Amino acid sequence: DQLGVEHRALLVRQVAMQQQALAANLDRIAVVVAPGALLREGFLNRALCVAAFAGIPPTIIFQKVDLDTDKSMRKRADAYRPIAEVFLTSAKTGEGTKPLAKALAGKATAFLGHSGVGKSSLVNAIFPGAKLATSDVDSWGKGQSGMAAPGLTLNDGVERLPARSQS
């Protein structure tokens, strides 16, 4: 790159005909979805394509299983098992959080997901030292971003990366 530093597993996004680096040296991308209107399969499929393009193994986290009353999200999870590691979790009840924490231990992981899917709550559940801000979703199912840190690397603990100027 421009600094002469080699990166592996670079996560980028396209911005105005240029690539913007979001994270480097990742071991895993965790795509987080939730039931109902928050189960956006188009987003999930695009995130899986991004992971494949970057050569980063994906993990799909079907979060908020405690709200999946009709079990439709659990059924959808089975469709993705052949192509990704899949976890069913509830940060609220703790369901599935221990196996997820074990799977992510020692791995630099980027969490991707829409607002309101419970990314911050999930990080707090699997890494209690994180203490990320969380908020409730509104009546439309929309959350407020609790991921205050613009960059976050999860290993055996949490390291917040410094904010970059958006100029």
Side-chain angles (χ1 to χ4, degrees):
D1 76 1
Q2 295 171 344
L3 300 176
V5 177
E6 296 225 7
H7 298 294
R8 65 172 177 77
L10 185 64
L11 179 62
V12 297
R13 73 174 176 180
Q14 197 70 27
V15 179
M17 304 286 288
Q18 293 183 351
Q19 287 189 340
Q20 178 185 30
L22 300 176
N25 302 325
L26 293 172
D27 297 311
R28 176 115 0 235
I29 291 177
V31 185
V32 185
V33 295
L38 294 173
L39 181 52
R40 297 181 174 141
E41 288 195 69
F43 166 77
L44 175 55
N45 293 332
R46 286 189 304 276
L48 291 173
C49 289
V50 166
F53 180 77
I56 304 169
T59 295
I60 304 171
I61 303 168
F62 289 86
Q63 164 62 334
K64 299 187 179 185
V65 295
D66 54 302
L67 301 179
D68 185 28
T69 55
D70 66 356
K71 309 290 187 226
S72 61
M73 188 171 69
R74 290 177 188 267
K75 293 173 190 165
R76 293 303 308 144
D78 289 337
Y80 289 96
R81 290 188 193 282
I83 60 171
E85 190 173 25
V86 174
F87 291 89
L88 295 154
T89 64
S90 170
K92 185 176 183 178
T93 68
E95 181 180 345
T97 57
K98 285 184 178 157
L100 177 62
K102 184 177 179 182
L104 297 181
K107 294 185 171 88
T109 302
F111 281 70
L112 306 178
H114 283 289
S115 178
V117 297
K119 295 179 302 293
S120 295
S121 297
L122 185 60
V123 168
N124 288 339
I126 60 176
F127 297 101
K131 296 186 172 108
L132 295 179
T134 61
S135 61
D136 292 329
V137 294
D138 63 21
S139 60
W140 294 94
K142 288 286 196 179
Q144 295 179 6
S145 179
M147 296 293 274
L152 187 67
T153 300
L154 298 180
N155 286 327
D156 293 321
V158 174
E159 173 188 345
R160 292 187 182 147
L161 303 177
R164 291 191 338 193
S165 170
Q166 297 296 322
S167 56

